[in-house]
Amino acid sequence: MAMQGRFHYYEGYSMKEVTFPVRVMYELGIKTLFVSNAAGGMNPKFKIGDLMIITDHINFFPEHPLRGKNYPTGPRFPDMHETYDKKLVQLAADIAYEKKIRVTYGVYIGVQGPTFETPAEYRMYHMMGADAVGMSTVPEVIVAHHCGIHTFGISVITDLGGFENPVEVSHEEVQEAANAAQPFMTEIMREMIIRSEKMELQKTETFNTEHPTKEWK
C-alpha cells in the first residue's frame, strides 16, 4: 500500500494522528515500510538534489509518539539501535551503485516546524550529529519500529544551511528540488521492492532463510 502525502505534527495533528496510518499498516500485515522526505542539508559534502539514505535519526519533537498507554505491538521501552534496517540500506546502496545514482548517507533529525531553520539552528543540529533536518518521518519510524516493521528511509536534500554564506529558501524551491530528485528515488525504491519480493519468493520455495549480504558500513 502507498500513502499520498502524510499528516504532519506542525499542521496541528497529535502524534497519535500522525502515526495512525502506520498502525493501520501493521494491522494489514505490512512487514516493511519505506519513508521519504524533503530535508535541509547541513553536511558540507551535500549538494542540493542529493539523495541521503538515512542511517539513523535524532528525535527532536516536543512529544514522543509512544507516550501514553503502551500498545501491545511492542515493549514499553523499545530498543532503537537498528531503527533503519541495515540490510535494506545495503540493498539500496547496491542498487544506486549499479544504476550510477549518486547517494549519500547520514543522520536525520526530526523537528516540530513549521519554520525553516535559522543559521544558528542548522549549526546546532549539525553539532548534535545530524546531517539533514526535516519536519516528519521520525514519529512514523518510531511507531513502525515498535510494531516490528522493517524500515528504510531516504531524504531528498532540497536546501543547505548552517554554512558561512546562508541561502534563503522558499517552499516553492524545496518542492522544485524534490521533484527533480524524485525519479531517482523512485527508481531505487522500485528496484528494492522487486528484489525484496524475489528474495521472499526464494525463501518460500527453498525454505532457506539465510541470504548472504555484504557487510554494511
Side-chain angles (χ1 to χ4, degrees):
M1 64 179 293
M3 290 183 62
Q4 184 176 359
R6 55 151 60 96
F7 302 109
H8 292 89
Y9 188 73
Y10 67 75
E11 295 177 287
Y13 294 104
S14 69
M15 277 297 180
K16 283 184 171 58
E17 291 172 314
V18 169
T19 58
F20 180 72
V22 178
R23 299 286 185 191
V24 174
M25 292 178 188
Y26 169 79
E27 295 296 334
L28 291 174
I30 297 299
K31 302 297 183 184
T32 304
L33 175 67
F34 289 7
V35 292
S36 63
N37 59 61
M42 299 167 288
N43 189 318
K45 297 180 181 180
F46 288 176
K47 301 176 183 177
I48 292 178
D50 274 351
L51 297 177
M52 185 192 84
I53 294 176
I54 303 175
T55 57
D56 203 348
H57 75 227
I58 298 173
N59 180 18
F60 215 61
F61 282 90
E63 181 184 352
H64 198 284
L66 299 182
R67 179 177 180 269
K69 182 181 178 180
N70 185 52
Y71 286 89
T73 56
R76 170 76 279 186
F77 304 105
D79 180 84
M80 302 295 289
H81 274 85
E82 191 179 329
T83 311
Y84 298 86
D85 192 281
K86 290 184 178 180
K87 290 183 180 179
L88 293 175
V89 169
Q90 182 63 61
L91 179 60
D94 291 343
I95 292 169
Y97 179 79
E98 292 170 13
K99 295 184 176 294
K100 296 180 173 56
I101 298 174
R102 172 183 163 84
V103 293
T104 58
Y105 306 86
V107 176
Y108 175 91
I109 184 169
V111 300
Q112 174 177 310
T115 57
F116 291 114
E117 288 68 37
T118 67
E121 287 170 336
Y122 273 122
R123 290 192 294 270
M124 177 185 71
Y125 295 147
H126 189 47
M127 290 175 65
M128 291 171 62
D131 298 287
V133 57
M135 308 170 195
S136 64
T137 301
V138 170
E140 297 100 309
V141 169
I142 290 175
V143 169
H145 190 68
H146 184 256
C147 291
I149 297 174
H150 298 285
T151 304
F152 171 78
I154 192 167
S155 298
V156 179
I157 304 301
T158 54
D159 60 281
L160 300 171
F163 310 124
E164 292 183 1
N165 299 311
V167 179
E168 293 184 8
V169 62
S170 67
H171 182 60
E172 290 73 22
E173 290 171 324
V174 167
Q175 287 184 316
E176 182 178 348
N179 291 337
Q182 183 175 347
F184 301 105
M185 178 182 68
T186 302
E187 181 65 18
I188 292 174
M189 287 189 171
R190 180 187 293 114
E191 188 64 24
M192 288 180 71
I193 293 171
I194 292 172
R195 297 190 188 187
S196 296
E197 288 178 345
K198 288 181 179 179
M199 290 173 64
E200 288 299 319
L201 181 61
Q202 183 180 2
K203 284 194 293 185
T204 302
E205 292 177 343
T206 64
F207 302 96
N208 177 16
T209 58
E210 295 184 2
H211 294 277
T213 57
K214 297 178 181 178
E215 182 181 359
W216 177 78
K217 297 180 179 179

